[in-house]
Amino acid sequence: MCGIVGYIGSGDPKKVILEGLKTLEYRGYDSAGVAILDGNKFKRIRAEGKLSILKEKLESEIFSGHIGIGHTRWATHGKPSERNAHPHSVKGVSIVHNGIIENYADLKESLKDLGTEFLSDTDSELVAHLISAEIDSGKDLFTSVLAILPRLSGAFSILAVSTDQPDEMVAFKNGPPLILGPAKDEIIVASDVQAIIKYTKDVIYLDDFEIAHIVGSKYKIFDKEGKIIAKKIVHIDWSPEQVEKQGYRHFMLKEIFEQPRAVAAAIAPHVDLNHHTVQLSRLGLGGTGVEDLESLNLIKDYQNTVEKLKNVNRIFIVACGTSYYAAMVGKYVIERMAGVPVEVDIASEFRYRNVVIPKDSLFVTISQSGETADTLAALRLVKEMGVPCLSICNVKRSTIDREAHGHLYMNAGAEIGVASTKAFVCTLSLLNILALNIGKIKETISSSEEQKWVREMLSVPSQMEIVLAFDKFFAEASHTLKKFRGFLYMGRGVNYPIALEGALKLKELAYMHAEGYASGEMKHGPLALIDESMCIVMLAPSDELYEKTVSNLEEAKARGGEIISIGTGENTKLRQISEHYLPLPSAAWFVNPILEVIPLQLLAYHMADALGHDVDQPRNLAKSVTVE
Ligand code: M6R
């Protein structure tokens, strides 16, 4: 949940680290700090609050050295404050840490018994004490890190420097990502490629229990026993511009507007534009994992994948947050198109219940970041059982992507805003494609249906462009809508998870009370909430459940709620019942969720902006949840 950047080279560490941390601020933003060599000491400067505060503090600082580490924090142990901010330094050792040291309390107690004084409330400071003690006993930095690792449990990544070896950095990964970018005459280490791509697009992903020892501009990578290992250099295929706002006020708004292009990129690899057919491309389910991905025999893989999908009798989809709501939509679509029963689960629940996975099941994880701790744990659990695992990820070569057998990529490009938008619509599009493909393989859909539905999918980007025009409406309406006490989002069938997603967006961005409900459940409780202070957002596209949805809307209206309804095309009835009616282009039932979510994203975005909240970095949240 935190962001780490390290730099060694001939350039200016302060500049590289600050720029890198800026791109990683999505990972945590409650405090930040750096330790940069100046003379023969690492000078440490930290600040509570956003990175901009640290930046101001560093304005007049000049460092004579060419090595340093930096960190942007999302608090787990110890509240956000300068004393808890990283780096943590003990004597000449400075470290930055991402993740959780689970046995820190016992280790801390035993060090305290020996007279060690702790200056923070974090689990991280302990690491600096342990390394420092090893150095005091005569070891160098690298052997000291190697020596302490067996004593630590949990999922964490660490980057350490020491005044004793002022041209060395040691990086260790077990859990949260850590990537090396060996550029010309310099090396950058970071939690995400975004902090590296400006300098090099050729990077090395550390795997769990690997240690990188960097000396000057040279590096070696070791396993936990200290044996050197050879690592593959991976070329990143996106550009630094993708992590800039490009004229938009916020990343979130830019990402909302990128959605038509993102959806086109998500589906393009899997559809034949000439024949309007679908074929999951480069899925990898027939292979053994990402190590094969580059050299995968695509024809053989496709045949194996088809064979596997033909025999699939049950599908489990597991995810968290917005990705979980996408999974819920997937259940409706796959069951209806392919006739395969689908179970969806929140990863943090799934991993701790006694899951029963029948033979011939397919396990699917959805994760934008590919690093979500609970989703990763669920994947590992199921992989152990020998079940084929498919990941739907945005970040290529993230841990989940690398560990799954099969891979579908959202192709959304970098998503920086903490609130997920374009990754969600790309996932919905991929789930449609997956459902279509399974339906085709299992012959639950005819070839004319396949062609018709592929055409529907191909027209989604241009339909999305039309829906984006509601931006103007919400920019104005948000100023009056912000007076409501609460928001109730409702929908039926495939639209129900979109109601949940709309409510989540409003909660996380506007910090307002919002609930998502299946419309049919309204009479079973939430109706009591409705009065003039409640705003009802009703998803009422023209589908087979439309009439029932309209009845629910009438009931809400009768209790005094303010109604925003979202339907299909011109609709006098909805216009008459609602204070605000937003018409969507006419689309297939499985396309409606992709279109409906756009006004809900815009509503949350403009409400947060009207309330003066930080849209891209909502309070208490972080983009990538790499801890439980
Ligand atoms: O990276 P993931 O898709 O695994 O992340 C899952 C959730 O943490 C994420 O969707 C979260 O709910 C977002 N903040 C929602 O906007």
Side-chain angles (χ1 to χ4, degrees):
M1 291 292 282
C2 302
I4 289 177
V5 183
Y7 176 82
I8 183 165
S10 51
D12 175 5
K14 179 174 102 173
K15 180 170 172 284
V16 180
I17 293 170
L18 276 178
E19 281 177 5
L21 290 178
K22 185 74 206 147
T23 68
L24 299 185
E25 225 186 349
Y26 73 89
R27 303 180 66 88
Y29 35 82
D30 61 44
S31 54
V34 297
I36 300 175
L37 192 68
D38 187 36
N40 59 1
K41 281 207 335 234
F42 279 91
K43 189 164 163 191
R44 180 173 65 148
I45 298 183
R46 301 176 294 170
E48 183 184 337
K50 292 275 173 78
L51 189 66
S52 53
I53 300 172
L54 176 72
K55 205 172 163 204
E56 258 171 48
K57 260 182 133 171
L58 284 170
E59 203 74 55
S60 54
E61 295 288 342
I62 296 167
F63 301 87
S64 60
H66 292 280
I67 172 171
I69 55 177
H71 189 268
T72 178
R73 180 170 185 250
W74 185 82
T76 56
H77 297 62
K79 67 180 171 83
S81 64
E82 185 171 331
R83 70 193 280 273
N84 288 332
H86 298 218
H88 291 283
S89 302
V90 173
K91 298 186 190 162
V93 174
S94 293
I95 66 103
V96 283
H97 158 231
N98 178 19
I100 290 180
I101 316 265
E102 279 169 3
N103 58 338
Y104 90 100
D106 291 347
L107 288 170
K108 197 167 172 176
E109 276 319 302
S110 55
L111 287 188
K112 274 184 173 169
D113 290 346
L114 297 172
T116 305
E117 196 195 341
F118 282 83
L119 302 175
S120 76
D121 314 310
T122 64
D123 52 342
S124 320
E125 184 187 345
L126 170 87
V127 176
H129 283 287
L130 291 173
I131 297 175
S132 172
E134 295 292 337
I135 287 181
D136 283 351
S137 76
K139 295 193 179 86
D140 60 21
L141 177 65
F142 175 68
T143 3
S144 298
V145 174
L146 208 58
I148 69 148
L149 292 176
R151 298 178 65 186
L152 308 177
S153 62
F156 51 84
S157 295
I158 295 165
L159 184 60
V161 288
S162 162
T163 45
D164 287 358
Q165 275 108 17
D167 60 344
E168 296 190 16
M169 274 195 298
V170 179
F172 171 75
K173 173 191 183 299
N174 170 31
L178 215 46
I179 302 153
L180 245 66
K184 195 170 175 292
D185 300 331
E186 56 192 357
I187 296 186
I188 300 107
V189 182
S191 307
D192 193 320
V193 283
Q194 288 175 23
I196 301 177
I197 42 168
K198 194 170 162 194
Y199 304 93
T200 177
K201 287 186 176 180
D202 294 321
V203 302
I204 296 150
Y205 287 85
L206 290 186
D207 283 310
D208 282 353
F209 306 111
E210 289 180 353
I211 311 169
H213 185 196
I214 302 157
V215 182
S217 55
K218 303 257 178 312
Y219 67 91
K220 283 183 182 147
I221 299 178
F222 298 83
D223 67 12
K224 64 179 169 190
E225 268 82 45
K227 261 202 340 257
I228 291 198
I229 45 176
K231 294 284 292 180
K232 218 159 72 185
I233 297 206
V234 175
H235 185 73
I236 304 300
D237 58 4
W238 41 277
S239 64
E241 293 74 52
Q242 288 192 15
V243 294
E244 284 164 14
K245 286 194 199 133
Q246 295 169 355
Y248 285 91
R249 284 188 60 226
H250 298 102
F251 280 111
M252 184 183 172
L253 192 62
K254 171 181 169 247
E255 287 156 11
I256 289 174
F257 275 84
E258 280 172 352
Q259 293 183 112
R261 202 160 18 105
V263 163
I267 60 177
H270 313 292
V271 291
D272 179 330
L273 294 177
N274 295 322
H275 304 98
H276 293 158
T277 53
V278 65
Q279 173 171 320
L280 288 170
S281 146
R282 249 198 134 74
L283 188 66
L285 257 191
T288 53
V290 78
E291 293 313 323
D292 304 311
L293 205 57
E294 303 300 339
S295 53
L296 206 65
N297 177 337
L298 292 179
I299 296 172
K300 187 163 158 268
D301 171 60
Y302 187 68
Q303 284 157 354
N304 287 342
T305 299
V306 167
E307 212 46 51
K308 283 210 163 92
L309 293 179
K310 196 181 259 168
N311 295 326
V312 160
N313 286 328
R314 187 175 291 266
I315 297 175
F316 291 80
I317 316 181
V318 171
C320 299
T322 288
S323 294
Y324 169 70
Y325 297 141
M328 286 179 74
V329 176
K331 174 182 170 70
Y332 285 93
V333 179
I334 297 170
E335 289 186 343
R336 186 159 158 188
M337 282 191 188
V340 182
V342 179
E343 279 189 35
V344 293
D345 255 293
I346 295 170
S348 55
E349 289 298 316
F350 180 88
R351 64 182 288 197
Y352 293 117
R353 69 180 173 84
N354 291 327
V355 286
V356 181
I357 304 200
K359 202 170 152 285
D360 294 327
S361 294
L362 171 70
F363 180 76
V364 182
T365 52
I366 300 175
S367 176
Q368 186 285 130
S369 62
E371 301 293 347
T372 302
D374 286 316
T375 311
L376 176 61
L379 168 72
R380 287 179 174 163
L381 186 90
V382 173
K383 212 175 152 192
E384 278 285 293
M385 299 175 184
V387 179
C389 296
L390 167 66
S391 89
I392 300 184
C393 258
N394 193 33
V395 181
K396 285 188 188 158
R397 301 204 174 258
S398 55
T399 312
I400 291 176
D401 178 35
R402 280 178 291 148
E403 295 198 11
H405 302 107
H407 320 264
L408 280 176
Y409 294 115
M410 298 176 193
N411 286 345
E415 191 180 68
I416 313 283
V418 164
S420 189
T421 51
K422 58 180 179 168
F424 181 71
V425 291
C426 289
T427 306
L428 297 188
S429 308
L430 287 175
L431 288 165
N432 283 346
I433 296 288
L434 180 66
L436 260 170
N437 209 129
I438 301 177
K440 174 179 171 172
I441 291 168
K442 286 184 165 284
E443 296 175 9
T444 54
I445 60 167
S446 65
S447 64
S448 66
E449 277 170 325
E450 177 190 0
Q451 289 175 338
K452 182 165 164 258
W453 292 348
V454 167
R455 276 196 294 275
E456 296 275 5
M457 281 309 296
L458 290 173
S459 53
V460 174
S462 51
Q463 291 172 315
M464 294 173 88
E465 300 277 2
I466 300 169
V467 183
L468 283 168
F470 290 129
D471 180 52
K472 203 161 172 290
F473 166 76
F474 284 112
E476 281 164 25
S478 55
H479 294 282
T480 43
L481 291 174
K482 69 183 183 193
K483 71 173 193 288
F484 286 97
R485 180 174 53 92
F487 281 71
L488 190 56
Y489 290 72
M490 287 190 284
R492 275 177 182 265
V494 74
N495 312 298
Y496 160 50
I498 303 301
L500 295 171
E501 168 61 4
L504 176 67
K505 283 283 148 305
L506 197 74
K507 278 183 256 204
E508 70 179 326
L509 293 166
Y511 319 149
M512 289 182 80
H513 180 240
E515 292 215 45
Y517 252 93
S519 321
E521 276 287 290
M522 199 175 67
K523 288 193 207 62
H524 301 283
L527 199 56
L529 284 170
I530 301 178
D531 60 17
E532 302 72 35
S533 63
M534 180 68 83
C535 184
I536 317 295
V537 183
M538 183 63 95
L539 303 171
S542 301
D543 57 16
E544 71 281 9
L545 296 170
Y546 167 76
E547 296 298 339
K548 293 183 194 300
T549 307
V550 171
S551 308
N552 296 134
L553 200 54
E554 304 266 22
E555 287 154 9
K557 178 78 182 168
R559 269 77 189 176
E562 167 116 348
I563 312 281
I564 301 178
S565 63
I566 298 172
T568 307
E570 250 334 299
N571 185 319
T572 333
K573 177 82 183 157
L574 288 178
R575 227 179 242 295
Q576 175 216 326
I577 311 176
S578 321
E579 271 72 25
H580 309 285
Y581 171 63
L582 309 180
L584 300 180
S586 170
W589 62 273
F590 56 89
V591 170
N592 282 332
I594 303 174
L595 302 180
E596 283 161 2
V597 78
I598 296 173
L600 307 192
Q601 295 165 342
L602 289 166
L603 167 62
Y605 169 81
H606 284 292
M607 290 281 278
D609 196 31
L611 289 162
H613 298 325
D614 186 334
V615 177
D616 285 332
Q617 294 169 349
R619 69 183 181 199
N620 307 336
L621 300 179
K623 183 79 181 157
S624 171
V625 185
T626 54
V627 292
E628 273 197 62

